[in-house]
Amino acid sequence: MNTLLIAAPLALLTACNSQPSTPEVLDSNPDPMANQIANAAPVELPPAIRADKTFRCADGSVIGIAFFQGDTQVNVRIPATGKPTRLTAPAKGDPYTADGGWKLTGDDSAVTLTEPGKKALSCHT
């Protein structure tokens, strides 16, 4: 008898809750750029750094060079902790160049660097 008294109210309570069990999500602060982001063109990520080396040059100076995957881009820092200058090559194996007369040839063990207005400088790790 006691179980009947307990089971009857529980049955009534479960019958009252006829809404779905998933919670309702309210968006009270919609993203104003949602449509622009959804329709934006895919973004191409920059290449990953393959090697970041410090070089000692023939004149005693120190430079830093970050070599990127694909071997068509480097960042040169003069001095080694300075602001980087991006040099690019049209294809793997071609010299890296940048506006103003920058030119770099070589690999991550030895390079020849030409800065704007200066003569070529040989550098090694």
Side-chain angles (χ1 to χ4, degrees):
M1 176 86 172
N2 285 337
T3 57
L4 185 58
L5 290 174
I6 294 172
L10 287 177
L12 288 174
L13 285 175
T14 57
C16 291
N17 188 10
S18 62
Q19 294 182 354
S21 61
T22 58
E24 182 179 348
V25 178
L26 300 176
D27 190 3
S28 62
N29 190 17
D31 184 355
M33 294 185 65
N35 287 337
Q36 289 174 324
I37 293 170
N39 296 324
V43 176
E44 183 178 337
L45 295 174
I49 294 176
R50 178 178 57 78
D52 194 359
K53 302 283 185 146
T54 302
F55 291 80
R56 173 73 64 183
C57 298
D59 67 353
S61 63
V62 176
I63 63 171
I65 302 175
F67 294 87
F68 291 86
Q69 292 291 336
D71 295 323
T72 59
Q73 178 180 317
V74 296
N75 281 351
V76 177
R77 297 176 312 279
I78 300 173
T81 58
K83 182 179 176 184
T85 300
R86 178 174 294 153
L87 285 72
T88 57
K92 184 177 179 176
D94 290 345
Y96 302 97
T97 60
D99 291 341
W102 288 89
K103 182 178 178 183
L104 180 95
T105 57
D107 57 26
D108 56 5
S109 62
V111 297
T112 301
L113 176 66
T114 305
E115 292 180 67
K118 297 182 180 179
K119 64 183 210 171
L121 190 59
S122 176
C123 308
H124 60 86
T125 56

